[in-house]
Amino acid sequence: MTGGLAATVVLNGLTLAALYFIVASGFSLIFGLMRTVNMAHGSLYMLGAYVGYAVFEPLYDQDVWYAWHVAILAGIASAALFGVLMQVTVLGWMQGQELRQALVTIGVSIIVADQLLAFFGGTSRQFFAPDAIFGSTEVPGVGRYPTFRLVQIGIAVAVGVALWLLLNKTKLGLMIRAGVDDRQMLAATGVNVPLVSLAVFALGAGLAGLGGVIGSTAQPLVQGVDARFLLTSLVVVIVGGMGSIAGTAIGAVLVGLAEQVGQAMFPTYSVILTFAIMAAVLAVRPQGILGRPA
Amino acid sequence: MNGNRIIPISLALLAIMAVLPAVLPPFFTGNILGRALVFGIIAMSLTFLATYGGFVSLAQMMIAGVAGYTVAVLVPGAAPSIVGGVPYALAIPLGLLAATAMGLLVGLIAVRTQGIYLLMITLALAVGVQLFIQANIAWFNGYEGIRNVVGPDVFGMPFRDTYVFYYVTLAVAAILYAFILYFVRTPFGLVLQGMRDNVRRVNALGYHAATHRVLAFGVAGFIAGCGGLLFTFYNIGISPGSIGLAATVNILIMAVIGGLGHPIGAFIGALIFVVFDTFAADLYDRDRFNTLIGAVFLIIVLVSPDGVLGLAKRLRTALRGKPAAVPAEAPR
Amino acid sequence: MDFRMDRRKLLLGAAGAGAVATTGLKLPAYAQNAPIRIGWLSTLEGPFATGGQDAWRCTQMILEENNNQAGGRRIEMVRESSNAQADVALARARKLVEQDNVDFMVGPLSGAEGIAVRDYSRTRPNQAFINGGSGAADTTLRNVSPNFFRFNMDGTQWMAGLGNYVRRVLNVQEVAVVAGDYAFPYAQVFGFSLEFCRAGGRATYLWSPLGTTDYSSIIARIPRTAGALVVIHGGSDGLAFMTQYAQAGGNLPLIGGSIMADQSMLSARGPHRRLMVGMVSGGPLADVNDDPRWVEFTNRYRQRWGREGFNSVSIHGYNYYVAMQGTLAALNAVRGDLSGNQQNFMRALAASDYTTPMGARMRLDHNRQAISDVFLNRIEERGGQAVTVAFERARDVNQTLGVPEAQFLGLGSPSRDNTGCIATS
């Protein structure tokens, strides 16, 4: 591989990792506090993307400049709302029954995927990013590079920083971290733990929705995208460690790089590299790179 | 389930299943009952691990597929012919061996994981293997899979014949079912159940929990392999689509709907699933089958986590007029 | 009177009646006024769902044209859907044939499915199986089935003339080929490479698995020496690739596969459309074609479906329409008589000779594979829409592209490692 190609591939991996981080961070957050494995995380991605697109299309047709931005807000809001709905109606009252929650979310994801198909049909969709960030930019050492992918990195960094600030500098973050350590003690200090859980679920789901709109600007929105991002989130947090934002970032970088390097060097089996890394991490450190021992 | 009654009930069911083909049209026998039995065997491997080991493994469909692919690669008449020429008498045991080995491998990789992590890891492994098979042309013919795997001749009759397929499948299902019921009473099986309840105590007693875990996965792999072979013969071939995420989730749905408390639940769940699948068009919109089965699955998990078996148990206690007591975890 | 005997008979009878009622078992339709039950299978789910939907639209069109009857008998369509996977297609086909008791079936749409249904057809020798649109090469070339009929050309045939055009007329020396790693693209790549490399061209092949969504590293590997980019993807993969290629500032002349330069792609909104104008492709149809039959057909399509359909008929819809044309013509020829193990009907199918809406002649060869015309087309912007415009036509293209069959078979099945790029020495 020439130097130029190598630099491009690494950049490809990092930009893809950015997208994976945005999506997986929500998954990791929900598990970290509530020990809920939300197998409907991919469905939240897809829901946010479709609702965002439904809002986007009429606005775009009217040549409104903020169509894409409104779509992002719509995506975040719809996913967060649905997440809260799930938590309130079904998940909240089976707190602690991890397997049952996983099964419930699997059931929800099947229904949501099918209903979205029924409602929106099988056509592929993709957002038009605002012209300012569509097209390519000159990147030293690489040449012309898609601007939007660079924007992905920016958004991911912003999300990471925001999450870090939230968890470490706010009262809510303090409660969340305390809850991760000892949920019952947190309740004993008078904190309304169910409400905090709702907030966390809304946040995690909203991140999935954000990922949905961003991801569907970079890649087409089709059936099956929910499974893809769920599995990717699973691998990212298995590798990086559950409940740790830094771990999710590391996991995302590893998975993103593995995918792109694999695609460049041995495209047929690139997916194996991802799973090989996962298997290796599991063999050596089952809780993930930065995860807490179970 | 009441331990004393399980043997006569099972035998009665077996008798009914053996006689049903006489009154049902061949399509019903082969494509509903037969298919339910095949899926049931694979789901039973999941139920076995869940009930007696406490592990929910989502890798069982993939392991079943490994057996199917092994046979498809080896036997004569397959299109395309990868290796070919290996008679069924040899290919079938090799397929079962491959499935068992894959089960052991999954057990090894996941040896230090529990509960929900195990579910996620087995899921990721299953998808990883499926994607590998889908990508590889030289050994597995990639996306199209391998076709024309017609199955062995049984006493001179082709496996494709509806009744041959049905009775062989019924026999295999019955034998594996009886094997599980016997196995869980052996010292190995009791240790396994002990691990499900309290790993530390089992370790303290001097048993090596990790070894038992891995071997249990191997046993489940063997069972899944049997189902996988029958599945391959039923479909006259195998392709990566049939061992992917959707198929994996379907097996989970079957096992949970039927009830994870006892191996018979796997067959109950499989039958319900197959019936819905076949008649969804008449009941509801054929295109919306997934919503329907997803809703049934969701309702079961919400209302009766032990599935149909749990419902039946509760109904029985309710009909008897006693308060529905939660039964203690007695050895089955 | 033995009471127990009566009760057992009653139970058995009830069970039997119940079973019959639930399976809808029907007596064989020997009576001339019994309807013809045709099973219909296409991908209404999965990556080619929109193609399958268009196939249904076109099937409905031809049925309406014929007052829902053929050979003096009413037609009943029994519809099933698949998702481009072989096993699912097989299960649905078996349901149509064994449970719904259709007289024969039409379908499937996708390559791998077609091979599975062809294998199944061999186990039902007394029923005709008519392909819907699946275009893998081997379906009618290797392990052929005597009762499987295909009224559309395969992926290799559809590329006839394109390789030569790119090398000789466009004067491109080297191309980069970006293609999906499964049967249909193999066939298309094979058809392109045979001509292009024999005419002295060089090609680099970049394969990606079906369902790849991020092509950035594939795009990075396109050699700088390439004079044109050949894109053989379908469905959402094609859309993803084109969008990402556009975002990466790609500007090579584009050559497209038959399902790339198609309304199923061009009707979808997205950044890809800008880039695809100017793309050259080959296939059985083009949106803009002077033949009055075609003008009438596409107008009828637009009037009938409006916004529900694409801007113009897609290749998938067209394939199914042509298949139904052949089916109905054969039914008319035998006056609806499917008796005698459908032998007369199958003979009529094999002897088909009619004109498609594109004005192309359609016949079947000795393997019951289509021989028809292939059009070279270019994507242009007309009236604010992207359309394919036919500019050249190859007549009577057969499955071996004019090469003697033994020699063609000797080249081997198209695959990732057998691209058909054999330079002449």
Side-chain angles (χ1 to χ4, degrees):
Chain A
M1 230 198 300
T2 65
L5 181 62
T8 309
V9 169
V10 166
L11 195 54
N12 289 340
L14 290 175
T15 51
L16 186 61
L19 177 61
Y20 288 163
F21 171 75
I22 298 171
V23 181
S25 58
F27 187 79
S28 181
L29 197 67
I30 293 175
F31 185 82
L33 174 65
M34 299 155 65
R35 324 273 325 153
T36 300
V37 174
N38 180 17
M39 300 290 277
H41 198 69
S43 312
L44 292 170
Y45 172 101
M46 202 160 76
L47 179 70
Y50 270 113
V51 170
Y53 196 84
V55 166
F56 170 81
E57 197 167 21
L59 289 177
Y60 184 78
D61 285 339
Q62 294 165 36
D63 265 335
V64 165
W65 67 266
Y66 49 80
W68 189 69
H69 307 83
V70 173
I72 292 184
L73 292 174
I76 297 176
S78 56
L81 205 64
F82 192 83
V84 164
L85 199 67
M86 268 203 301
Q87 169 71 1
V88 164
T89 53
V90 287
L91 292 174
W93 52 266
M94 45 174 90
Q95 186 60 37
Q97 301 175 45
E98 289 179 355
L99 181 61
R100 197 167 172 201
Q101 288 181 324
L103 293 179
V104 164
T105 48
I106 288 177
V108 168
S109 73
I110 295 173
I111 298 176
V112 167
D114 199 50
Q115 288 303 307
L116 284 175
L117 172 63
F119 199 75
F120 289 99
T123 331
S124 166
R125 290 162 170 78
Q126 196 157 353
F127 291 90
F128 292 84
D131 282 333
I133 53 179
F134 191 85
S136 44
T137 328
E138 272 297 323
V139 174
V142 167
R144 280 162 56 198
Y145 196 78
T147 313
F148 190 73
R149 293 186 78 102
L150 299 171
V151 168
Q152 274 170 237
I153 295 189
I155 297 177
V157 168
V159 165
V161 166
L163 279 176
W164 185 86
L165 285 173
L166 176 79
L167 286 175
N168 290 296
K169 298 290 182 199
T170 67
K171 197 156 163 219
L172 176 65
L174 188 62
M175 289 194 271
I176 292 175
R177 281 184 293 133
V180 170
D181 286 337
D182 195 329
R183 204 185 158 89
Q184 283 172 319
M185 193 51 112
L186 182 68
T189 62
V191 170
N192 186 347
V193 178
L195 200 60
V196 172
S197 305
L198 265 182
V200 170
F201 214 104
L203 181 61
L207 281 168
L210 171 66
V213 176
I214 304 290
S216 303
T217 316
Q219 302 172 1
L221 173 63
V222 283
Q223 294 177 50
V225 78
D226 54 343
R228 220 180 80 76
F229 276 91
L230 173 66
L231 284 168
T232 309
S233 300
L234 269 177
V235 177
V236 163
V237 296
I238 288 176
V239 168
M242 292 264 216
S244 157
I245 299 300
T248 308
I250 293 178
V253 166
L254 278 175
V255 171
L257 279 175
E259 258 189 49
Q260 288 300 312
V261 168
Q263 194 185 84
M265 294 182 63
F266 38 91
T268 315
Y269 297 112
S270 57
V271 65
I272 305 309
L273 191 51
T274 313
F275 286 95
I277 292 178
M278 183 193 75
V281 168
L282 282 170
V284 171
R285 213 184 138 82
Q287 68 269 32
I289 293 179
L290 286 186
R292 299 145 173 272
Chain B
M1 264 215 184
N2 191 326
N4 295 335
R5 303 234 289 263
I6 202 48
I7 308 275
I9 291 180
S10 304
L11 284 174
L13 273 175
L14 183 62
I16 295 177
M17 294 291 281
V19 173
L20 270 179
V23 291
L24 294 176
F27 179 80
F28 228 101
T29 307
N31 296 55
I32 295 183
L33 291 180
R35 206 152 59 104
L37 283 171
V38 171
F39 281 135
I41 292 173
I42 303 175
M44 189 167 65
S45 70
L46 191 158
T47 307
F48 163 71
L49 283 175
T51 308
Y52 302 108
F55 324 120
V56 176
S57 157
L58 289 185
Q60 300 310 106
M61 192 65 209
M62 177 270 287
I63 295 173
V66 165
Y69 261 104
T70 307
V71 164
V73 163
L74 292 174
V75 294
S81 184
I82 311 284
V83 172
V86 176
Y88 278 95
L90 186 55
I92 288 177
L94 282 175
L96 292 175
L97 192 66
T100 311
M102 180 55 92
L104 290 170
L105 184 62
V106 170
L108 264 173
I109 293 179
V111 72
R112 287 200 270 169
T113 48
Q114 313 272 14
I116 210 64
Y117 289 88
L118 182 67
L119 183 132
M120 295 194 297
I121 282 155
T122 49
L123 177 64
L125 278 174
V127 174
V129 170
Q130 182 235 349
L131 289 175
F132 173 79
I133 289 178
Q134 191 169 291
N136 182 291
I137 307 272
W139 298 327
F140 304 117
N141 202 35
Y143 186 78
E144 284 115 71
I146 302 175
R147 309 239 53 90
N148 214 39
V149 181
V150 294
D153 279 350
V154 179
F155 304 124
M157 291 179 290
F159 205 85
R160 292 280 309 120
D161 179 270
T162 308
Y163 297 103
V164 171
F165 164 73
Y166 178 76
Y167 282 109
V168 170
T169 307
L170 183 62
V172 170
I175 293 172
L176 289 174
Y177 175 75
F179 167 71
I180 289 182
L181 289 183
Y182 160 76
F183 182 77
V184 296
R185 299 200 165 292
T186 61
F188 187 99
L190 291 172
V191 171
L192 192 63
Q193 294 187 68
M195 281 167 52
R196 175 198 63 205
D197 297 330
N198 194 322
V199 176
R200 207 182 288 170
R201 204 176 287 176
V202 165
N203 270 322
L205 286 170
Y207 295 104
H208 198 218
T211 313
H212 282 80
R213 269 181 80 130
V214 175
L215 288 177
F217 269 91
V219 170
F222 177 82
I223 297 172
C226 292
L229 290 177
L230 293 167
F231 181 73
T232 306
F233 300 147
Y234 174 80
N235 277 319
I236 331 174
I238 190 164
S239 65
S242 17
I243 62 172
L245 181 65
T248 297
V249 172
N250 285 341
I251 295 290
L252 177 70
I253 289 177
M254 290 179 218
V256 169
I257 287 182
L260 285 174
H262 192 276
I264 198 76
F267 294 101
I268 296 175
L271 184 63
I272 294 176
F273 184 92
V274 168
V275 165
F276 266 102
D277 183 40
T278 313
F279 296 110
D282 309 318
L283 287 169
Y284 186 46
D285 190 350
R286 211 262 166 262
D287 294 337
R288 299 279 76 78
F289 164 73
N290 278 324
T291 300
L292 192 62
I293 203 76
V296 171
F297 177 74
L298 191 60
I299 291 171
I300 295 267
V301 177
L302 288 174
V303 166
S304 172
D306 348 324
V308 168
L309 281 181
L311 271 175
K313 212 187 302 185
R314 248 168 275 185
L315 253 171
R316 252 202 347 261
T317 29
L319 285 173
R320 273 198 222 118
K322 292 188 211 157
V326 176
E329 284 296 316
R332 296 186 193 88
Chain C
M1 194 184 300
D2 192 317
F3 186 68
R4 274 188 306 195
M5 188 70 143
D6 270 349
R7 192 150 70 147
R8 183 152 40 101
K9 264 199 229 160
L10 191 69
L11 278 172
L12 277 178
V20 166
T22 45
T23 60
L25 200 67
K26 286 189 165 51
L27 297 170
Y30 289 141
Q32 276 296 79
N33 44 20
I36 303 177
R37 285 169 63 80
I38 305 182
W40 190 92
L41 180 65
S42 189
T43 53
L44 296 172
E45 315 152 38
F48 300 114
T50 51
Q53 284 157 6
D54 206 40
W56 181 240
R57 288 194 282 266
C58 291
T59 305
Q60 286 177 277
M61 270 174 72
I62 197 173
L63 288 174
E64 286 164 11
E65 277 170 56
N66 287 276
N67 287 324
N68 235 5
Q69 61 171 332
R73 291 168 66 182
R74 200 168 55 82
I75 293 179
E76 243 177 56
M77 300 296 288
V78 184
R79 191 171 66 142
E80 270 295 342
S81 100
S82 61
N83 61 358
Q85 284 177 8
D87 288 342
V88 175
L90 178 65
R92 303 280 179 263
R94 287 168 84 162
K95 176 176 183 288
L96 284 170
V97 171
E98 296 169 31
Q99 181 186 350
D100 298 324
N101 286 301
V102 298
D103 292 307
F104 57 89
M105 66 167 270
V106 174
L109 184 145
S110 168
E113 301 179 313
I115 297 183
V117 172
R118 178 213 56 198
D119 286 339
Y120 175 61
S121 72
R122 264 201 290 267
T123 68
R124 315 280 309 190
N126 298 324
Q127 285 174 286
F129 287 77
I130 298 160
N131 190 48
S134 80
D138 283 352
T139 318
T140 50
L141 195 59
R142 295 179 173 85
N143 293 314
V144 173
S145 163
N147 53 326
F148 190 87
F149 300 82
R150 180 149 70 167
F151 287 104
N152 60 280
M153 292 173 280
D154 70 18
T156 309
Q157 284 171 283
W158 283 335
M159 297 266 95
L162 192 60
N164 279 328
Y165 180 80
V166 172
R167 179 69 195 89
R168 300 217 167 101
V169 177
L170 295 182
N171 208 17
V172 173
Q173 311 264 29
E174 181 180 338
V175 295
V177 177
V178 174
D181 207 344
Y182 58 105
F184 180 74
Y186 297 155
Q188 295 239 287
V189 166
F190 198 78
F192 175 83
S193 306
L194 268 180
E195 287 182 9
F196 185 74
C197 297
R198 198 185 296 148
R202 286 186 313 278
T204 312
Y205 297 90
L206 300 167
W207 303 96
S208 34
L210 183 64
T212 304
T213 48
D214 192 335
Y215 293 91
S216 40
S217 294
I218 294 274
I219 293 171
R221 284 172 63 209
I222 296 174
R224 297 197 196 282
T225 48
L229 185 62
V230 181
V231 184
I232 314 226
H233 277 293
S236 50
D237 291 3
L239 284 177
F241 178 81
M242 288 313 309
T243 307
Q244 289 166 19
Y245 187 66
Q247 283 176 333
N251 54 9
L252 287 173
L254 293 174
I255 317 292
S258 310
I259 56 179
M260 273 299 290
D262 181 65
Q263 276 306 320
S264 50
M265 295 280 288
L266 298 175
S267 295
R269 302 195 58 177
H272 63 284
R273 241 197 271 179
R274 297 182 224 170
L275 202 61
M276 282 171 71
V277 173
M279 179 186 267
V280 174
S281 174
L285 80 166
D287 301 322
V288 177
N289 177 26
D290 292 330
D291 193 306
R293 249 173 306 228
W294 184 245
V295 174
E296 188 267 339
F297 178 75
T298 47
N299 281 336
R300 206 155 27 97
Y301 175 88
R302 290 193 197 101
Q303 264 183 333
R304 175 71 178 82
W305 299 108
R307 281 177 62 83
E308 200 187 318
F310 295 124
N311 294 333
S312 183
V313 66
S314 72
I315 190 176
H316 308 292
Y318 178 76
N319 285 335
Y320 270 75
Y321 186 91
V322 171
M324 287 300 293
Q325 253 189 309
T327 306
L328 296 180
L331 282 173
N332 283 328
V334 298
R335 285 196 259 261
D337 184 11
L338 295 172
S339 63
N341 292 329
Q342 298 190 1
Q343 290 305 311
N344 283 335
F345 177 54
M346 293 202 238
R347 261 195 293 272
L349 284 170
S352 295
D353 193 341
Y354 59 94
T355 312
T356 71
M358 277 292 281
R361 184 182 182 194
M362 172 62 71
R363 287 175 296 149
L364 297 184
D365 68 12
H366 58 282
N367 283 331
R368 291 152 295 284
Q369 164 63 7
I371 304 174
S372 189
D373 301 349
V374 172
F375 297 85
L376 289 187
N377 56 60
R378 183 181 295 110
I379 297 181
E380 291 177 21
E381 182 110 15
R382 290 199 187 179
Q385 288 177 357
V387 289
T388 51
V389 182
F391 63 86
E392 221 175 88
R393 172 183 193 153
R395 290 187 189 266
D396 296 324
V397 178
N398 71 350
Q399 192 165 19
T400 59
L401 298 182
V403 173
E405 183 165 331
Q407 192 184 340
F408 191 81
L409 284 172
L411 293 172
S413 284
S415 88
R416 184 198 303 154
D417 306 312
N418 188 18
T419 58
C421 191
I422 308 155
T424 43
S425 43

